Amino acid sequence: MNEPREQARALSASAQLVQDALRAAGFANTVIELEFPVKTAAAAAEAVGCTVAQIVKSLVFRRASGGGVLVVASGVNRVSESKLAALLGETVAMGDPRFVREATGFAIGGIPPIAHATKLEVVIDAHLLSHESLWAAAGHPNSLFSLTPDELVRMTAGRVAEVAK
């Protein structure tokens, strides 16, 4: 595995928020901040030397009832809105940038699976559980942290489901 190129400076405020949330929840995972943004799953995978399938994409959907739901999916998968709607019992649509920012406190391109501004139900793409290690965004386009599938399930209290197209 390639060693990610990190900057030897303090974490950005949003990445530090994620690091603090990890510690407060009892997790030892360490947020790293790269010298460059990794806004896509492919860019993140290249930066940390893993497969795109090992990247955790955090996607926020708006429920017909108005609330949000976070889906954490493998970087190679697209989420099926019909499968997600069937699981939730109501229609859903991808959240727009403003809705995502209000629900999570983070901008698209750096949404972590934890530390959100509001409590969101979390659905975990079952495909993520087939990997030994994963990488997730940590609140900023340049920040990531490594984790295991078990840690992802525990830190999000998410429901594992088949939601990929």
Side-chain angles (χ1 to χ4, degrees), residues 1-109:
M1 181 159 111
N2 299 332
E3 285 297 313
R5 292 177 294 174
E6 303 174 50
Q7 281 191 340
R9 62 177 172 79
L11 293 174
S12 64
S14 55
Q16 187 63 55
L17 178 70
V18 174
Q19 183 66 75
D20 293 346
L22 287 165
R23 292 293 179 269
F27 292 96
N29 311 67
T30 300
V31 172
I32 62 170
E33 199 140 9
L34 305 173
E35 299 171 4
F36 49 89
V38 288
K39 292 184 179 183
T40 67
E46 184 176 339
V48 297
C50 71
T51 68
V52 177
Q54 291 173 271
I55 299 298
V56 177
K57 292 191 297 193
S58 294
L59 306 168
V60 179
F61 290 81
R62 182 189 295 258
R63 298 167 174 263
S65 59
V69 61
L70 177 77
V71 177
V72 289
S74 170
V76 295
N77 289 341
R78 293 184 53 91
V79 174
S80 166
E81 288 183 16
S82 61
K83 286 182 182 179
L84 182 59
L87 181 70
L88 299 174
E90 65 181 311
T91 59
V92 295
M94 183 67 74
D96 64 35
R98 183 176 177 183
F99 180 79
V100 170
R101 170 74 83 166
E102 289 172 359
T104 67
F106 301 99
I108 293 171

Side-chain angles (χ1 to χ4, degrees), residues 124-149:
I124 300 169
D125 174 7
H127 294 95
L128 288 170
L129 276 57
S130 67
H131 301 283
E132 287 185 30
S133 63
L134 304 168
W135 285 87
H140 185 277
N142 295 32
S143 62
L144 297 152
F145 68 98
S146 65
L147 67 164
T148 66

